Amino acid sequence: MLVRYAFAAILLPLITLAVSAQSDVPVNAGGAYGYEGYHPFAEGKPWGVVLEGYFVRNKILIDPASYFLRVGLNYDLKGGNRISGGYATQFTEPTDSASDPYKFPEHRIWEQFTWKRKFGSGKRQQFVQRFRMEQRWIGRKTAPAYDRITSWYFENALRYQAKFITPINKKISLNLNDEIAVRLPPPTGRKFVDSNQLYAGLIFALDQKRLWRLEAGYSLQTVFKSSSAATGLRRVNHVFSITLKSDAPFRIKR
């Protein structure tokens, strides 16, 4: 499994560079800033909430790109596995020549299963797989005014992420992951593969139990005729991100 993951980590950047070499593919430098929390209602209990939100800027900070919010419930299984589900919304603004020429909202219902395994000396390394289904309703506007939502485009998407985390020292860890998004079934006029995102980041523990962490990283994102781009167009995004993450319970045992 790890050999296949390492091979994919080498191959996917080459595919992305080949796509970005095409003259009609815009390349953006973005910044993503946000919060990601999986909070148990009580310490040691399986039920909890998902709270996730971030905003994305084009040209690192200068231009607005999108705003995203995810909420839901999660249930922790044995061995660190987890099932989750809930609602998400996103508001997207045009950023480049591959964008639709208007701002639009999106609503999602999502279901997720996370599989986690620890290994290595002291089981300090982690391999995590995340399977997420999304039912997406995307607001569409029509020319020439583009002044209101005239229809909602629906698609069913599957997102698969493979993540490898290894400690560098007591307070810093390395996070390497790749996420691919596909449409089920493939819709007419759009690719089966929606996007691929290759990520590398550093995790900084903010407390002894690592319940609070600050993560800084870089993503190489390739979008293939996605619902986030105008029909038939592609884009490449270089995204620098800063995310506050937490697994802190709302109620702690005393």
Side-chain angles (χ1 to χ4, degrees):
M1 178 65 73
L2 292 178
V3 173
R4 291 199 296 269
Y5 179 73
F7 177 75
I10 296 171
L11 180 63
L12 287 168
L14 298 178
I15 296 174
T16 300
L17 290 173
V19 171
S20 62
Q22 302 176 33
S23 60
D24 61 340
V25 178
V27 179
N28 302 306
Y33 313 95
Y35 176 80
E36 182 180 316
Y38 288 83
H39 299 285
F41 290 119
E43 185 178 9
K45 299 297 183 180
W47 284 102
V49 298
V50 180
L51 298 172
E52 180 181 344
Y54 59 82
F55 63 94
V56 179
R57 306 287 293 185
N58 197 21
K59 300 177 184 175
I60 310 299
L61 277 172
I62 297 174
D63 298 327
S66 65
Y67 308 88
F68 184 84
L69 174 67
R70 185 190 307 278
V71 295
L73 292 173
N74 57 255
Y75 186 85
D76 289 334
L77 305 169
K78 292 182 179 179
N81 301 332
R82 174 182 289 159
I83 54 175
S84 312
Y87 166 78
T89 184
Q90 180 169 303
F91 184 78
T92 302
E93 303 201 23
T95 56
D96 55 34
S97 60
S99 299
D100 285 304
Y102 54 81
K103 305 174 184 179
F104 63 90
E106 178 181 339
H107 302 284
R108 306 180 189 179
I109 303 297
W110 59 278
E111 308 84 33
Q112 178 175 296
F113 173 68
T114 305
W115 178 94
K116 182 187 297 184
R117 287 295 181 270
K118 295 183 178 181
F119 62 96
S121 177
K123 293 191 174 182
R124 300 173 61 206
Q125 297 175 314
Q126 297 182 50
F127 180 65
V128 183
Q129 296 183 85
R130 188 182 70 192
F131 305 84
R132 177 184 291 163
M133 288 294 302
E134 295 179 334
Q135 296 76 51
R136 307 173 64 182
W137 289 266
I138 303 156
R140 303 285 80 181
K141 298 179 181 179
T142 54
Y146 298 118
D147 58 347
R148 61 187 178 89
I149 301 296
T150 55
S151 64
W152 292 90
Y153 172 78
F154 174 79
E155 70 178 24
N156 214 16
L158 168 65
R159 295 179 180 274
Y160 170 73
Q161 182 188 83
K163 178 189 298 184
F164 174 69
I165 299 176
T166 185
I168 297 175
N169 55 40
K170 291 183 178 180
K171 292 187 176 182
I172 303 175
S173 298
L174 174 66
N175 178 0
L176 299 173
N177 69 67
D178 186 74
E179 180 178 278
I180 186 169
V182 299
R183 299 178 183 86
L184 301 173
T188 304
R190 295 185 183 272
K191 292 289 188 180
F192 171 65
V193 178
D194 177 279
S195 61
N196 187 85
Q197 181 168 283
L198 187 67
Y199 174 86
L202 293 175
I203 305 170
F204 301 88
L206 301 180
D207 65 286
Q208 189 172 5
K209 292 184 177 181
R210 303 180 66 86
L211 295 176
W212 292 90
R213 304 169 303 279
L214 187 67
E215 185 165 339
Y218 161 75
S219 298
L220 180 60
Q221 182 186 56
T222 308
V223 176
F224 304 94
K225 296 186 179 180
S226 168
S227 54
S228 65
T231 302
L233 299 182
R234 307 178 182 181
R235 69 159 56 95
V236 171
N237 296 323
H238 300 276
V239 182
F240 302 90
S241 61
I242 299 176
T243 308
L244 178 64
K245 297 187 176 184
S246 177
D247 300 304
F250 289 127
R251 191 171 68 235
I252 300 175
K253 291 180 180 179
R254 297 185 181 277

